[in-house]
Amino acid sequence: MSNKAARNLFIFICIFFFAIFIALSADTLSQIDKRAPEITDEVNAGKMVWHKYDCIGCHTIFGTGSYFAPDLTKITDKKPKDYLKKFLMDPRGVNPRAAMPKLGINSTEADNLITFFQWVAKVDTNGWPPKPILATAAEVGGAALTPGQSLYQSLGCVNCHMLNGIGGTTGPELTHVASRHDRAWLQGHLKDPKAYVPGSAMPDFKQLSDQQANDLTDYMASLK
Amino acid sequence: MSIKYESQKIAQYFYTFAVVLFLVQVLVGLIAAVQFMRPDIFILNFNIVKTLHINALVVWLLVGMMGATYYVIPEESETELWSLPLAKMQFWATVIAITAVVLGYIWQGLDPQANKLIAGTLALNEGRKYIEAPRWADFLIVVSVLLFLLNCFMTVMKTRKWTGIQGTLLTGLTFLAVMYLPGMVYFKSMVRDQFFWWWVVHLWVEGAWEIIAGALLAFMLMKVTDVKREVVEKWMYIEVGLVMFTGILGTGHHYYWIGTPSYWLWIGGVFSSLEPVPLLVMVWDAFRTTRETRVVDNKPGLYYTVSHAIFNFVGAGLWGVIHTLPQVNKWTHGTQITTAHGHLAFYGAYVLLVLSMIYVTLPAIRGVKSFNHSRALQSFWWMTISMVFIVLVTTGAGMVQVYMERLMGLDYVAVKTTYNLWFWILRAIFGVGFLIGVAIFVIDFFKLGREPLTVAKVATERA
Ligand code: HEM
Ligand code: HEM
Ligand SMILES: [Fe+2]
């Protein structure tokens, strides 16, 4: 191949593949909005707050960003709004060991951020993030759960609390919780956390039937 | 070794600024690494420290490439630069703009509320990785780059010697400038935001910058050996042609999970899997040329050039291809595996590229025939061995993270603070090794050709 032919090939490749790329991009752009809910003013305001505090400097969203802090794509599926709001405004007020600093986010900003996260969580991401394979397998296999244990799973306590090495880190670890609190405290706290811990960020579980609350408290009280 | 055109000396301004920023980049990188264990160790939060780390990186690489280009263009065009005063002005404008941006980040770090929304854009930090620079700074950067390109094109037009090397170099630089523009638009949709963000990030490092690397590699091979121009230029065209063939549609490897249609899964998978091919051709090109032709007496220049080719392939090619298929990327996306790849790729492809250009051209700029080689080689080994270990350690952290968090479903913070703790400690230790290498390099940069050579040293270097 002569130099000239090599050069022309390079130019041809540039033009050809750019043309395809632009065509595909045009098609993609025409589909993007159909794969996501409508963008309201609050969603956009929340996105602006996201940029203002450079959240991407620590977190990822859709898995893109920085790797210092958890991905937030599905955060509103995992944590209730009230809790998120408290955390955003004062991370260490919720979890004394939090690495996230208090950035000075105000109440409106926090609300908008949460609306933005709710929008993000509904975007069709081709199935990302994937469900953990082994955790899913364990749920199917572990049939012999007590009623309290299965409530603990289904109510999402595991998202916030660590128990025997599994679970979230934003709430206190529960592995030995019964050595700190008695049965009455545990049951009362479950129904109304703020009455026991002023300013608690834990959601209340008033909606539970007495039977359910008893089962769950039995389980908690067994964690010596 | 000496320069042919007086205006080539302007390269040294740019190199000096680049070298200073390199030192800053690695210092703050080390702080960021320690913040994985002690988040509150420094007055600025992790996000600001890391922003400084990656902005310093990108800027010093760009400034270094500009310096290198100012060296290459007069030589290839066989004439003085079109306007030396313009080049100097453009240099100082860049320094001032960058300093202002950095002060803005620090201000925001000290007071997050200072990042106010003014006329629809954020005043200090746009809050988008790598392109954090606020809009007003974007315009200054664009003006600076346009003046730079103008100066280069006008120089070429003086003699109209469109050599392959400078034609390709300027194509890459123009492409680079154009790809900055999609980062200057605000999108209400986070999906569109990320879609165009990758135009900037991916089409830079896997498009425009690789074209520049291909052209500079050809230039350096001609400088450190007596290879014929026809041969290097032909291979250069083949390399950059393959880069564009694989790299443009390879952008799809970032469009798997951000809310874009699923056809990108196979387009991105297929084309990005081929991306290592041109990088492998570059390695082969570097080896063949240095084996088959006589080597000129600039051992550091040769050393750095060949290692650039090798680590470009290993960091970008190998460490890129391992997580580029959607079936793998689904699990590794946005983990420490990405960090590992990002570091080795940037180090191999662009840090070593700019350092090679410095070692190939600086002796001529300083007008010395021989120089002390030992520091150049020492710094090379300190940096390269430390970087390889930083990358192995973060790859280890990434594997643990993928297994524990993504496959077993453990909490992100639990994995980070307990299972990966040792990896963070090791990364910081190797980071110190890297810093030592940089320090040796900086000393060498300022001393090169400016100290008397002892007779014994001259004798060994000639041998
Ligand atoms: C010189 C060339 C390259 C450089 C400098 C580079 C650098 C980077 C960086 C810094 C990131 C992380 C971006 C972020 O901060 O979010 C990244 C991501 C990525 N790169 Fe590269 N890269 C290069 C070439 C390649 C090649 C050749 C491949 C594939 C064969 C590749 C595959 C990937 C993939 C798949 C990701 C996304 C990782 C994820 O899903 O989190 N890269 N690259
Ligand atoms: C020339 C050498 C270096 C280059 C080219 C480089 C490049 C980069 C790049 C491109 C990023 C952004 C991508 C990412 O977040 O992973 C980054 C982040 C980072 N770098 Fe470096 N870096 C270098 C040296 C260092 C050193 C010596 C350290 C300290 C040990 C360091 C520590 C970090 C840390 C902690 C992050 C944040 C990673 C994360 O978010 O998990 N870097 N660097
Ligand atoms: Fe890419």
Side-chain angles (χ1 to χ4, degrees):
Chain A
M1 187 162 34
S2 75
N3 267 20
K4 207 162 175 184
R7 188 196 66 192
N8 291 344
L9 187 64
F10 166 56
I11 295 171
F12 171 77
I13 286 175
C14 286
I15 296 169
F16 182 75
F17 283 97
F18 256 111
I20 297 183
F21 184 65
I22 297 293
L24 284 169
S25 294
D27 180 73
T28 297
L29 290 171
S30 74
Q31 291 195 39
I32 280 179
D33 291 340
K34 291 180 215 142
R35 301 169 57 93
E38 195 200 337
I39 301 170
T40 61
D41 286 347
E42 288 75 38
V43 172
N44 184 42
K47 179 171 181 280
M48 213 28 128
V49 180
W50 170 264
H51 291 307
K52 172 183 169 190
Y53 292 101
D54 187 30
C55 310
I56 201 97
C58 290
H59 290 276
T60 51
I61 196 152
F62 300 137
T64 313
S66 308
Y67 321 110
F68 183 79
D71 184 77
L72 297 176
T73 312
K74 301 284 178 194
I75 188 69
T76 48
D77 295 353
K78 278 193 236 143
K79 308 263 161 106
K81 263 173 91 166
D82 291 342
Y83 161 86
L84 285 176
K85 185 164 178 179
K86 276 213 170 69
F87 185 88
L88 288 172
M89 291 174 68
D90 184 10
R92 277 168 213 172
V94 171
N95 170 14
R97 284 164 296 118
M100 175 157 153
K102 188 171 176 173
L103 295 163
I105 299 171
N106 66 33
S107 173
T108 334
E109 286 179 329
D111 287 336
N112 288 336
L113 268 174
I114 292 166
T115 318
F116 167 67
F117 287 139
Q118 284 167 337
W119 181 87
V120 168
K122 289 198 198 79
V123 170
D124 177 356
T125 54
N126 296 327
W128 197 88
K131 274 215 157 53
I133 296 179
L134 301 180
T136 318
E139 269 165 34
V140 177
L145 292 180
T146 65
Q149 282 171 329
S150 55
L151 276 168
Y152 183 85
Q153 296 289 342
S154 62
L155 294 171
C157 316
V158 68
N159 286 334
C160 296
H161 293 287
M162 182 75 75
L163 211 169
N164 297 324
I166 295 170
T169 48
T170 36
E173 168 156 6
L174 298 182
T175 313
H176 301 295
V177 66
S179 60
R180 291 193 295 276
H181 302 292
D182 58 22
R183 203 175 183 291
W185 191 96
L186 289 168
Q187 183 139 15
H189 175 266
L190 187 64
K191 295 243 169 175
D192 188 4
K194 285 190 192 60
Y196 290 75
V197 181
S200 170
M202 172 158 149
D204 63 57
F205 288 86
K206 286 200 183 78
Q207 80 278 19
L208 297 185
S209 68
D210 286 348
Q211 177 65 45
Q212 287 173 316
N214 266 326
D215 288 344
L216 195 50
T217 310
D218 284 345
Y219 178 43
M220 290 290 109
S222 73
L223 300 170
K224 290 252 195 295
Chain B
M1 283 176 263
S2 68
I3 46 170
K4 298 196 185 82
Y5 303 95
E6 201 51 27
S7 49
Q8 285 177 292
K9 278 197 178 154
I10 185 73
Q12 207 178 159
Y13 284 61
F14 289 83
Y15 289 165
T16 309
F17 188 43
V19 167
V20 172
L21 282 177
F22 183 22
L23 189 63
V24 172
Q25 180 228 331
V26 174
L27 270 173
V28 289
L30 198 52
I31 298 175
V34 175
Q35 285 180 318
F36 268 75
M37 299 163 274
R38 297 262 175 282
D40 297 324
I41 196 128
F42 194 59
I43 29 165
L44 302 172
N45 290 325
F46 172 85
N47 60 320
I48 301 292
V49 173
K50 194 217 59 210
T51 297
L52 291 171
H53 177 59
I54 57 182
N55 279 253
L57 168 75
V58 173
V59 170
W60 84 257
L61 293 175
L62 287 173
V63 167
M65 286 181 204
M66 280 185 185
T69 307
Y70 276 140
Y71 185 95
V72 172
I73 298 286
E75 185 149 327
E76 292 283 297
S77 295
E78 299 180 10
T79 177
E80 293 288 349
L81 212 53
W82 181 61
S83 167
L84 196 58
L86 180 64
K88 280 194 184 151
M89 191 207 93
Q90 185 245 327
F91 171 75
W92 287 111
T94 311
V95 174
I96 293 167
I98 298 308
T99 312
V101 172
V102 166
L103 291 177
Y105 295 155
I106 295 175
W107 185 11
Q108 187 212 3
L110 298 174
D111 173 18
Q113 299 302 331
N115 192 24
K116 289 211 164 51
L117 198 62
I118 297 171
T121 68
L122 291 161
L124 303 178
N125 181 330
E126 265 182 35
R128 299 169 79 202
K129 199 180 183 188
Y130 301 105
I131 50 175
E132 288 94 347
R135 196 60 46 81
W136 56 266
D138 290 343
F139 287 114
L140 291 180
I141 293 166
V142 168
V143 170
S144 166
V145 172
L146 285 181
L147 291 179
F148 161 75
L149 285 176
L150 175 77
N151 213 346
C152 294
F153 276 108
M154 293 310 285
T155 310
V156 180
M157 292 317 283
K158 271 166 76 180
T159 57
R160 291 176 197 271
K161 284 202 169 61
W162 279 106
T163 66
I165 287 180
Q166 68 179 348
T168 310
L169 184 57
L170 290 179
T171 306
L173 287 163
T174 311
F175 181 20
L176 186 162
V178 172
M179 288 334 287
Y180 192 66
L181 304 178
M184 292 174 60
V185 187
Y186 179 77
F187 298 99
K188 284 189 174 181
S189 156
M190 195 63 192
V191 180
R192 281 170 199 268
D193 184 311
Q194 294 204 356
F195 182 83
F196 285 108
W197 180 81
W198 281 114
W199 278 32
V200 186
V201 177
H202 171 98
L203 288 177
W204 264 16
V205 298
E206 288 157 72
W209 292 33
E210 284 288 358
I211 295 183
I212 297 169
L216 292 180
L217 176 65
F219 180 81
M220 292 190 292
L221 287 176
M222 278 178 53
K223 286 273 132 185
V224 295
T225 69
D226 62 359
V227 65
K228 285 211 173 51
R229 178 180 286 274
E230 292 74 47
V231 180
V232 274
E233 287 196 340
K234 183 164 92 191
W235 282 104
M236 173 190 72
Y237 283 129
I238 293 171
E239 287 152 12
V240 295
L242 285 169
V243 164
M244 297 307 267
F245 164 53
T246 58
I248 297 175
L249 292 181
T251 318
H253 64 187
H254 304 296
Y255 295 160
Y256 300 155
W257 327 115
I258 65 165
T260 36
S262 56
Y263 52 70
W264 288 108
L265 268 72
W266 65 266
I267 297 176
V270 169
F271 282 90
S272 70
S273 301
L274 295 172
E275 281 186 54
V277 173
L279 310 182
L280 191 59
V281 177
M282 289 184 192
V283 177
W284 174 80
D285 191 13
F287 269 98
R288 193 209 58 221
T289 311
T290 48
R291 287 260 168 88
E292 290 177 2
T293 51
R294 194 182 61 85
V295 173
V296 175
D297 179 32
N298 180 352
K299 202 170 153 206
L302 173 84
Y303 222 80
Y304 272 87
T305 307
V306 175
S307 347
H308 150 71
I310 296 173
F311 280 100
N312 189 3
F313 171 67
V314 177
L318 290 186
W319 248 259
V321 88
I322 51 170
H323 60 155
T324 206
L325 285 178
Q327 293 80 354
V328 177
N329 192 262
K330 184 169 191 170
W331 303 99
T332 61
H333 180 45
T335 61
Q336 292 295 321
I337 301 278
T338 312
T339 300
H341 156 68
H343 277 82
L344 200 56
F346 258 112
Y347 177 71
Y350 303 120
V351 171
L352 285 178
L353 175 72
V354 173
L355 299 190
S356 321
M357 274 305 288
I358 290 180
Y359 276 114
V360 169
T361 62
L362 196 63
I365 292 175
R366 300 246 166 104
V368 289
K369 248 185 120 45
S370 317
F371 58 98
N372 184 343
H373 292 174
S374 69
R375 271 193 306 257
L377 301 185
Q378 266 177 36
S379 77
F380 173 80
W381 285 114
W382 272 103
M383 287 194 287
T384 304
I385 292 175
S386 308
M387 182 48 75
V388 165
F389 276 101
I390 288 174
V391 168
L392 289 177
V393 164
T394 37
T395 305
M399 285 161 64
V400 170
Q401 185 186 0
V402 169
Y403 186 76
M404 296 278 200
E405 185 198 342
R406 300 286 168 86
L407 291 177
M408 300 218 326
L410 266 71
D411 183 72
Y412 171 93
V413 176
V415 177
K416 178 186 166 198
T417 53
T418 53
Y419 303 101
N420 270 343
L421 184 61
W422 276 104
F423 291 115
W424 309 144
I425 295 173
L426 288 171
R427 169 166 67 180
I429 293 172
F430 290 115
V432 174
F434 196 88
L435 184 63
I436 293 172
V438 179
I440 300 174
F441 166 73
V442 174
I443 293 171
D444 196 38
F445 175 81
F446 285 106
K447 285 203 167 174
L448 193 150
R450 288 172 172 162
E451 59 193 341
L453 281 182
T454 61
V455 182
K457 266 188 187 143
V458 176
T460 44
E461 270 147 30
R462 286 290 156 77

